[in-house]
Amino acid sequence: MMLQATINLPCLEILLWLPVMPREYQFPFALRHLVYFREVARRLHFRAAAEALGVAQPALSRQIAQLEDVLGVRLLHRTRRRVELTPAGKLLLERAEPILRSLQGLPRELGAMAGGAVGHLRVAFTGLAMATVLPGILREFHRQHPGIKLELNESPTSTQLTALEAGELACGFFHPDAPAPALQTHTLLREKNGVLLPAAHPFAKVKRLRLCDLADTPFVLFPRAHNPGFYDRVLAAFAAAGVTPRIAEEVWPRANGIGLVRAGVGATFMTPSEAQYLPPEVQFRPLAGPAPESRLVVGWRTVPPPDAALEAFLGVARAVGS
């Protein structure tokens, strides 16, 4: 909406179009009117309210009269002996009290947020992160920073990279592939994979295997689009071992792949760090010779710079995960 205004000069007439604030943002009273009214409503005494507010009593009376005028209702019933709230005054006090109380606490809350004492972070992770370094990071972070809430979400690497670039995540735990100039990363894990076999597999009791020993074993992998770098390292390991992989299934998340190994569908790759706690239906075995390497990083955007809450989380991740 625009407001037309005309300026007349001695030899010139100028027509101006001035922008007008939308009606939904226009209020016929100021915050001070609510502050003054609340004090009077609390004390039901104009002189006491004026002293508490540090204003003259006539000025306070004018502010209350202005508020009543713009609202079109009587808020207070005044006699020589007492001041009482009208039904409209009671309703206004009920609505204004939580607003003013919230505003009073806002500087303290903003200071706590700026100092990293409170906050909210959206953090994504892969199955490898949750199976290795992430639980320890979360435990220590909650101990050090109980006022910062974490919103956790399991996502493949490709999804995390898109979300990070869009500013939808504070940070992510993912598997690095191609360089991402807009992101900074810190390496948390680099491990050569072994193999997870069904307990009934002929090689399940063999202490150390080579990938070529499993030429006839079907494998459970994951869609390449989720983590192209690791998928290609898997294929490269098979090629180096002189084996054409038999891919039985490609599933995500990783826990589903482990479930399929338990069901006897095939084998899958796993790092030693992941293999600490396994069900009895499967067996983990290290691989000698060619084997894919898993890499895990924590990554975050460099622009805008991390806020205090994210800096606190990254500090714990670096300390615990390294």
Side-chain angles (χ1 to χ4, degrees):
M1 181 184 297
M2 305 291 287
L3 178 67
Q4 181 178 337
T6 303
I7 300 177
N8 293 306
L9 299 177
C11 300
L12 183 66
E13 182 178 280
I14 302 174
L15 184 64
L16 299 177
W17 290 94
L18 304 176
V20 177
M21 182 182 295
R23 186 177 298 275
E24 61 185 298
Y25 300 121
Q26 296 182 32
F27 295 92
F29 54 87
L31 184 62
R32 71 175 183 278
H33 290 102
L34 295 181
V35 173
Y36 289 175
F37 167 74
R38 180 181 66 171
E39 197 62 33
V40 175
R42 281 176 169 178
R43 299 177 182 273
L44 296 178
H45 196 289
F46 270 81
R47 188 179 65 209
E51 291 175 354
L53 292 167
V55 299
Q57 183 175 335
L60 176 60
S61 297
R62 286 195 299 270
Q63 296 292 324
I64 298 300
Q66 289 176 6
L67 183 59
E68 290 179 323
D69 184 55
V70 297
L71 293 178
V73 295
R74 290 286 300 275
L75 300 173
L76 299 165
H77 179 68
R78 284 166 279 188
T79 67
R80 290 185 176 181
R81 294 186 176 182
R82 60 193 308 175
V83 177
E84 295 180 345
L85 287 170
T86 66
K90 292 178 181 178
L91 178 61
L92 179 59
L93 180 62
E94 180 182 322
R95 296 290 191 271
E97 187 71 57
I99 295 173
L100 295 175
R101 191 183 308 117
S102 176
L103 290 175
Q104 284 177 332
L106 190 57
R108 181 181 66 256
E109 294 175 10
L110 291 175
M113 179 175 289
V118 298
H120 178 270
L121 298 174
R122 295 190 66 203
V123 178
F125 62 91
T126 62
L128 176 62
M130 187 58 78
T132 55
V133 300
L134 188 53
I137 292 172
L138 296 178
R139 182 171 56 252
E140 182 62 20
F141 182 74
H142 286 309
R143 187 189 70 81
Q144 293 186 23
H145 305 279
I148 301 177
K149 180 181 178 183
L150 298 180
E151 182 182 342
L152 300 171
N153 178 50
E154 184 175 6
S155 304
T157 293
S158 56
T159 302
Q160 289 191 45
L161 293 176
T162 300
L164 281 166
E165 291 174 1
E168 297 170 357
L169 290 175
C171 67
F173 293 80
F174 55 87
H175 314 295
D177 189 9
L183 301 180
Q184 185 172 342
T185 62
H186 176 78
T187 300
L188 299 172
L189 180 73
R190 293 189 68 164
E191 279 191 0
K192 181 179 177 181
N193 277 250
V195 66
L196 189 69
L197 299 168
H201 192 280
F203 292 122
K205 301 299 182 183
V206 177
K207 291 186 177 181
R208 197 166 183 84
L209 294 173
R210 296 175 301 166
L211 201 51
C212 61
D213 298 328
L214 303 171
D216 296 327
T217 299
F219 272 77
V220 177
L221 299 181
F222 54 89
R224 182 182 182 277
H226 286 348
N227 187 359
F230 182 63
Y231 194 98
D232 292 345
R233 289 194 294 275
V234 168
L235 297 185
F238 276 116
V243 174
T244 300
R246 295 177 55 196
I247 301 175
E249 296 285 351
E250 291 186 346
V251 297
W252 194 90
R254 190 173 181 81
N256 292 337
I258 297 172
L260 291 180
V261 176
R262 294 177 64 187
V265 173
T268 195
F269 291 101
M270 176 175 282
T271 66
S273 294
E274 293 177 272
Q276 300 300 314
Y277 306 100
L278 294 173
E281 300 96 332
V282 296
Q283 291 288 333
F284 173 79
R285 291 292 175 260
L287 283 173
E293 181 186 62
S294 286
R295 304 164 188 171
L296 178 68
V297 301
V298 58
W300 63 96
R301 292 201 307 168
T302 56
V303 179
D307 61 17
L310 180 54
E311 282 287 9
F313 184 79
L314 295 174
V316 173
R318 295 187 190 99
V320 176
S322 299

